[in-house]
Amino acid sequence: MSYKDDIHKFIKENYNIEADYPWEKTPDYSVFRHNHNKKWFALVMNIEKKRLNIDIEENIDIINLKCPPELIDSLRSKKGILPAYHMNKEHWITVLLDGTYPLENIYDLIEISYDLTK
């Protein structure tokens, strides 16, 4: 199970933003940017779980989202939310898209990230 398609649809329908695929070496990594200032508010990737210190030999879809620093610690205490992968861990979080964290809550976090970067 992956929420990846749900995330793409949610962002398209709510913000009228299409995914951007900027990296040739990782063509399935999708970046979502504001149309006016081009700042990122979401990055969807498929990575090896071991890169997240999960000792399992398989891949997982994740999303990186910007978050207010004062919420980072409380969010990271929830199952399915980790320190940001390949991003500033003081301002970004990684959310597993495998059903561990509820999809509706991920939508709320996307909205926060969108608002923080506009």
Side-chain angles (χ1 to χ4, degrees):
M1 167 204 250
S2 174
Y3 292 148
K4 182 178 178 178
D5 292 338
D6 299 296
I7 299 291
H8 281 246
K9 183 178 177 185
F10 174 82
I11 293 173
K12 172 66 175 158
E13 289 177 356
N14 289 276
Y15 306 110
N16 195 31
I17 294 174
E18 296 279 352
D20 179 21
Y21 300 90
W23 298 292
E24 196 173 299
K25 288 186 178 182
T26 51
D28 59 333
Y29 284 23
S30 50
V31 174
F32 293 91
R33 315 169 193 251
H34 290 273
N35 290 323
H36 65 286
N37 67 12
K38 301 301 180 204
K39 287 186 179 179
W40 298 12
F41 63 92
L43 169 60
V44 177
M45 297 173 277
N46 182 275
I47 64 170
E48 295 173 320
K49 283 186 174 182
K50 64 183 178 184
R51 291 185 180 186
L52 300 171
N53 295 321
I54 300 171
D55 196 23
I56 298 174
E57 292 291 326
E58 62 183 37
N59 284 14
I60 189 168
D61 288 329
I62 61 170
I63 186 169
N64 281 355
L65 298 167
K66 190 157 189 175
C67 193
E70 60 271 14
L71 293 180
I72 296 277
D73 285 339
S74 65
L75 284 170
R76 282 192 204 147
S77 70
K78 299 187 183 310
K79 191 170 181 168
I81 299 184
L82 306 169
Y85 173 73
H86 257 280
M87 302 285 273
N88 180 316
K89 290 165 183 31
E90 189 177 326
H91 296 279
W92 291 80
I93 56 172
T94 289
V95 183
L96 305 180
L97 298 180
D98 64 352
T100 304
Y101 193 72
L103 184 57
E104 289 300 318
N105 294 24
I106 295 171
Y107 292 159
D108 292 340
L109 293 174
I110 290 170
E111 187 172 336
I112 290 169
S113 185
Y114 181 86
D115 288 343
L116 284 172
T117 54
K118 65 181 178 181

